[in-house]
Amino acid sequence: MPASKKITSALISVFDKTGLESIIQKLNELGVVLYSTGGTADFINKMGVNVTDISELTGYPPVFHGRVKTLHPAIFGGILYRRDNPSDLEQAKEFNICSIDLVVVDLYPFVETLKKTIEEAELIEKIDIGGISLIRAAAKNYNDVVIVPSKEYYSDLLELLQTGETTAEQRRLFATRAFEVSSHYDSQIFSWMNSNNHVEATKISLHNGSELRYGENPAQKARFYGNMDEYLTKLNGKELSYNNLQDIGGALDLLAEFDNNSCVIVKHTNACGVASATTAAEAWTKALSCDPVSAFGGIVAFNCKLDEATCIKLSEFFFEVLIAPDFDEAGLAQLASKKNRIIVRLNKTPRATSMVKQLSFGFLWQETDTIIENPQQWTLKAGSAPSAKIVDDMLFGMKVVKHLKSNAIVLVKDQMLIGSGTGQTNRVDAVIQSIEKAEKFGFATTGSILCSDAFFPFSDSVEIAFNAGIKAIIEPGGSIRDEDTIKYCSDNNVTLLFTGNRHFKH
């Protein structure tokens, strides 16, 4: 493979002209012959630079309202013929095919259009055909051709053009970038067209990741992929870490379950404090009281604006990250007085519809647990019918328990979490842990509501709950020994409801 090649001709066909002017100027200085299409050719002409419209090469004007411009052997032959292949050279000469050494493309903005409209006709017209074909052709023949597949790489091209020559290593790098751009583009189109999941395939394209300090531990490399700015704006503090982002994801998923004036505190993706109240300050006080030890150094998230008084209260506590949709100006200044304290504005609440988990031997895909519990669909199995207040607390508890690692149990009283058993390998231990944690932080379990993410395989768990003064239990049901649990609750006048919905989380 030759060490370097000189660029003598270039085909430029881009949607977004931003930053293109300096490229054109440099190519013109180098005496590179320019070919172009439609609006790009007009742009170059207005700069006073000579350019040949590709219709002069193909003998055809753009047809079908511009759908077909570059798809012609005169264009693709000029890109694809192998300069070191005698047969290719002979055919290029026979058919008067001009060589094209550089291809610069910026594709139709399909993803950007998808963010603005759901109109299928408009989206279809933003599916690039000629551009994506040019990218693939030039990338395939990287031995002879340089491909610039996106405006993101204009600055890299300018650096390359300082000499007007390219090495094989440089051309291969650009070709690799080109296939990344084209595959990402196609995956977005597929995901849109397969929104009904009729085709049993999942395409995940992670594009433009940002490097993080490290992963879960300092020895692990890590990157973040996604459009964080759409959802979060960092107002103060150090850079978000891998663990911060995991916890933020867990906090926002849980927060999305609640109405205004709610606070969630998360540690290692598990909630250690959750409360809804009439004010943000009250929600914070209640949420913190659940487990102030675990809350230390955790993620605190609100779904309401924080006034100055609440900000002052929060500033007295050590947390890793604070998230809210808005902040009182003076209160924010108080919070930001510590330079490393991470403060984030929630621009909008993210809502995932599916999730993928990587295993050492494959991948798992599933829809997210989007079930919203409806009391009208619950079944009373034992005890007296719950009051409206108890039903409200049950709803609150089921929102929380679905976001805790299984086996999970929560105790709820007055729209706040007072105890939780999380990630236990059996449900008895989860019940015991929830009671012990509630009592540890001064809560009386008598009169509280117990919510379970899955059924009780035996009646031993409800017996432990009853002995702790719990008189209302809600669970999915579904055990082959449900009747044992129902009988125990009936015999002891414990209200027992089945939801019919399991909420495992692993």
Side-chain angles (χ1 to χ4, degrees), residues 152-223:
E152 306 177 29
Y153 300 116
Y154 284 179
S155 59
D156 294 334
L157 175 60
L158 274 174
E159 187 177 336
L160 204 66
L161 292 175
Q162 296 310 306
T163 62
E165 294 188 352
T166 63
T167 66
E169 184 180 8
Q170 290 168 331
R171 293 191 300 276
R172 184 182 175 90
L173 173 60
F174 273 87
T176 304
R177 291 168 171 171
F179 283 118
E180 190 278 325
V181 168
S182 65
S183 62
H184 180 73
Y185 191 81
D186 284 341
S187 72
Q188 303 307 302
I189 297 168
F190 169 79
S191 296
W192 166 66
M193 296 198 75
N194 196 42
S195 57
N196 53 18
N197 291 319
H198 285 170
V199 176
E200 292 183 0
T202 297
K203 304 292 182 184
I204 299 175
S205 181
L206 305 177
H207 184 65
N208 287 342
S210 54
E211 189 169 348
L212 302 174
R213 294 193 305 261
Y214 50 81
E216 284 185 295
N217 301 293
Q220 296 170 263
K221 292 181 179 179
R223 298 179 70 82

Side-chain angles (χ1 to χ4, degrees), residues 70-71 76 79-80 103 105 107 128-140 147 182:
T70 59
L71 298 171
F76 281 84
I79 295 170
L80 283 164
V103 177
V105 174
L107 298 170
D128 207 309
I129 301 300
I132 208 80
S133 301
L134 290 170
I135 287 173
R136 291 182 63 84
K140 176 175 180 174
I147 171 63
S182 65

Side-chain angles (χ1 to χ4, degrees), residues 476-487:
S479 168
I480 60 173
R481 293 185 176 86
D482 273 345
E483 288 305 319
D484 294 347
T485 299
I486 294 170
K487 183 178 186 305

